[in-house]
């Protein structure tokens, strides 16, 4: 038993998960460090504007992905394995189409941003800061695209080295701004959203000069862009993201701001472990893309289950943590946070293990339509459930609705996986 466990831990997948988890948490640590530095040199008003504008840029960078990330994970591992000449055509085509779609949306944003800020965001930021935010979105989209290409190609060490090297270089630039006393909201956004990605591309291009050469020679081919697949998954993810915010939105609508504060803090605690789930699934996705038989499917499902036990164990640990530990970190002013956090754990346990059938449906059988069906149910249950139950049972409602809502897509994906698995050839 011990020999088999050691052998399992020494596999490439295990090494990649360790590398990716460390890299992702280093990135989280840098984000926390930047926040600690900036709150000490900016006024609360400045930091509030910065938080809103950076939040807009990061959210839009994810929204304007247009489902291309799923297409990368489902196709690139196969192209690499078969050593087809299509690899660079595929990369260049998807980059071109994603850039075209996102630039079109961002152009409209550029025109309307000052008006939107006046009537909705209400930051009062100068137009130049708003335009820099729009520009930052495009650079962050390009950076995410490059990172996902590296992850799909199983270059996890390369991706995390360059991503965190960028963080080190951004730190140097930030301290340069502090030294010259030129720290403004606009300059910080430009540093994080434009200079950072540029430094990432520069170090990556120096390291991967051959890939840059082949990409420059590649052609954009319409056949390499799978519009049906990418746009279906894009709609599914947006429904999931919106549904996942309905609990907080409706709590804010019905209850006191204190309750929203308790719940928001609890969400941040449980969502911090999602970083581990992402680290695992980024490693698993390329493997599921290459599954063709029942034997291969069993192997990947079994391995995936064991790897997902890591974040599962972390959620169980959160549930078993004594209340006094929460009081120690967050003070007794946030005492309700302990009970809310523990109540949220069942939903995130289902979410964590539900990523297994999601990988199979999305990358093995490539049927994002079932992800869409499940996420429609998720959105409806979250919205209707919270709207009906929050006025009746208050803050106890969202954790219960979360568990019921996430169970719906997981059930749809599990049943789809079961029936699709039965249709696979044995060998």
């Amino acid at each position: 038993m011990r020999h088999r466990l050691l052998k399992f831990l020494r596999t490439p997948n295990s090494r990649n998960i360790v590398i990716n988890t460390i890299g992702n948490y280093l990135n989280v640590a840098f984000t926390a460090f930047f926040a600690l530095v900036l709150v000490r040199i900016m006024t609360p008003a400045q930091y509030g504007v910065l938080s809103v504008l950076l939040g807009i840029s990061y959210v839009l960078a994810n929204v304007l992905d247009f489902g291309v990330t799923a297409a990368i994970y489902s196709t690139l591992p196969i192209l690499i394995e078969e050593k087809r000449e299509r690899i660079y055509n595929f990369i260049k085509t998807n980059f071109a189409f994603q850039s075209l779609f996102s630039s079109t949306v961002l152009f409209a944003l550029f025109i309307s941003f000052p008006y939107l800020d006046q009537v909705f965001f209400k930051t009062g930021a100068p137009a130049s800061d708003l335009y820099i935010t729009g520009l930052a979105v495009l650079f962050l989209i390009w950076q995410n695209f490059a990172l996902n290409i590296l992850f799909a190609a199983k270059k996890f060490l390369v991706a995390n080295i360059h991503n965190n090297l960028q963080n080190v270089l951004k730190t140097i630039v930030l301290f340069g701004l502090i030294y010259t006393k030129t720290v403004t909201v606009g300059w910080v956004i430009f540093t994080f959203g434009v200079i950072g990605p540029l430094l990432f591309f520069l170090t990556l291009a120096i390291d991967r000069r051959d890939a840059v050469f082949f990409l420059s020679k590649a052609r954009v081919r319409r056949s390499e862009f799978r519009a049906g697949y990418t746009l279906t998954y894009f709609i599914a993810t947006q429904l999931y993201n919106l549904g996942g915010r309905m609990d907080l939105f409706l709590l804010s609508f019905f209850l006191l701001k204190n309750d929203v504060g308790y719940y928001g803090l609890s969400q941040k605690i449980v969502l911090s472990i999602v970083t581990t789930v992402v680290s695992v699934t980024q490693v698993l996705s390329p493997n599921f893309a290459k599954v063709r038989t029942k034997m291969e499917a069993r192997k990947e499902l079994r391995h995936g289950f064991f790897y997902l036990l890591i974040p599962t164990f972390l959620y169980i640990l959160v549930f078993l943590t004594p209340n006094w530990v929460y009081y120690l970190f967050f003070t007794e002013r946030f005492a309700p946070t302990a009970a809310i956090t523990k109540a949220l754990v069942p939903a995130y346990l289902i979410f964590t293990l539900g990523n297994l059938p999601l990988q199979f449906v999305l990358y093995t059988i490539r049927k994002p339509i079932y992800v869409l069906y499940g996420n429609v149910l998720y959105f409806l249950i979250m919205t209707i459930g919270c709207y009906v139950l929050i006025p009746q049972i208050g803050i106890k409602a969202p954790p219960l609705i979360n568990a019921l809502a996430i169970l719906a897509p997981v059930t749809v994906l599990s049943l789809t996986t079961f029936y699709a698995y039965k249709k696979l050839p044995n060998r």
Side-chain angles (χ1 to χ4, degrees), residues 357-358 360-362 364-374 408-424:
L358 174 65
F360 186 89
V361 171
L362 201 54
T364 300
I365 64 172
R366 299 178 180 83
K367 298 290 185 182
I369 190 65
Y370 294 106
V371 182
L372 177 58
Y373 294 154
V410 170
T411 301
V412 170
L413 295 175
S414 297
L415 290 172
T416 304
T417 297
F418 174 75
Y419 288 112
Y421 169 80
K422 290 173 68 175
K423 294 179 182 179
L424 291 176

Side-chain angles (χ1 to χ4, degrees), residues 12-13 15-17 19-21 23 73 147-148 150-162 278-287:
N13 281 342
R15 288 196 298 271
N16 285 334
I17 286 172
I19 290 168
N20 208 32
T21 302
Y73 281 107
L147 282 169
N148 285 312
L150 291 170
F151 290 146
K154 297 187 178 182
K155 303 295 183 183
F156 295 98
L157 183 60
V158 173
N160 282 290
I161 284 175
H162 287 285
V278 172
S279 299
V280 172
T281 55
Q282 283 174 335
V283 175
L284 297 178
S285 299
N287 298 334

Side-chain angles (χ1 to χ4, degrees), residues 90-356:
F90 169 82
I91 293 172
K92 194 168 187 177
T93 298
N94 281 271
F95 178 79
F97 274 93
Q98 187 184 50
S99 298
L100 175 64
F101 294 152
S102 57
S103 297
T104 302
V105 175
L106 288 172
F107 179 72
L109 180 65
F110 262 79
I111 296 172
S112 59
F113 217 157
Y115 174 74
L116 288 173
D117 186 66
Q118 184 180 359
V119 300
F120 186 71
F121 300 118
K122 296 183 179 180
T123 65
S128 58
D129 289 0
L130 301 177
Y131 296 141
I132 290 170
T133 301
L135 183 65
V137 173
L138 188 60
F139 278 85
L140 290 169
I141 289 169
W142 289 341
Q143 178 180 300
N144 289 341
F145 181 89
L147 282 169
N148 285 312
I149 290 292
L150 291 170
F151 290 146
K154 297 187 178 182
K155 303 295 183 183
F156 295 98
L157 183 60
V158 173
N160 282 290
I161 284 175
H162 287 285
N163 194 33
N164 283 292
L165 178 58
Q166 170 209 181
N167 284 326
V168 172
L169 296 173
K170 280 194 301 191
T171 303
I172 294 171
V173 174
L174 180 61
F175 279 114
L177 294 175
I178 295 171
Y179 180 76
T180 56
K181 298 181 180 179
T182 54
V183 176
T184 63
V185 170
W187 267 112
V188 173
I189 295 172
F190 190 74
T191 299
F192 290 175
V194 178
I195 294 177
L198 281 174
L199 291 170
F200 170 81
F201 286 120
L202 178 62
T203 58
L204 184 62
I206 293 171
D207 184 34
R208 301 281 155 168
R209 291 184 293 273
D210 292 345
V212 174
F213 173 78
F214 287 120
L215 273 174
S216 66
K217 300 293 184 183
R219 295 182 179 181
V220 175
R221 298 183 184 277
R222 172 66 183 82
S223 59
E224 296 290 356
F225 183 70
R226 300 165 58 195
Y229 182 96
T230 56
L231 295 180
T232 301
Y233 183 64
F234 167 70
I235 296 169
T237 53
Q238 299 320 305
L239 276 172
Y240 183 83
N241 290 334
L242 183 58
R245 290 173 172 81
M246 291 309 296
D247 49 0
L248 204 58
F249 291 162
L250 289 170
L251 275 173
S252 180
F253 181 78
F254 284 115
L255 301 184
L256 299 173
K257 299 303 178 186
N258 282 354
D259 294 318
V260 179
Y262 302 145
Y263 190 83
L265 180 57
S266 295
Q267 269 194 332
K268 287 185 178 180
I269 294 169
V270 293
L271 286 174
S272 65
I273 300 176
V274 172
T275 300
T276 308
V277 180
V278 172
S279 299
V280 172
T281 55
Q282 283 174 335
V283 175
L284 297 178
S285 299
N287 298 334
F288 275 93
K290 294 184 287 187
V291 168
R292 293 292 178 272
T293 66
K294 286 181 179 176
M295 185 174 71
E296 292 171 340
R298 284 196 300 271
K299 176 185 174 183
E300 295 306 329
L301 288 168
R302 184 173 64 252
H303 287 177
F305 174 77
F306 282 117
Y307 288 126
L308 286 171
L309 286 179
I310 299 169
T312 299
F313 171 76
L314 293 176
Y315 279 121
I316 293 172
L317 199 61
V318 166
F319 184 82
L320 296 176
T321 300
N323 288 355
W324 65 264
V325 176
Y326 291 93
Y327 303 156
L328 178 66
F329 279 94
F330 306 114
T331 75
E332 292 197 23
R333 288 189 304 140
F334 287 87
T337 295
I340 298 168
T341 303
K342 293 178 181 182
L344 282 169
V345 166
Y348 283 89
L349 285 174
I350 299 169
F351 163 80
T352 299
L353 295 176
N355 271 269
L356 205 53

Side-chain angles (χ1 to χ4, degrees), residues 1-10:
M1 181 67 180
R2 181 186 174 189
H3 175 73
R4 290 179 64 186
L5 179 61
L6 289 173
K7 185 179 178 181
F8 180 72
L9 294 174
R10 289 170 183 164

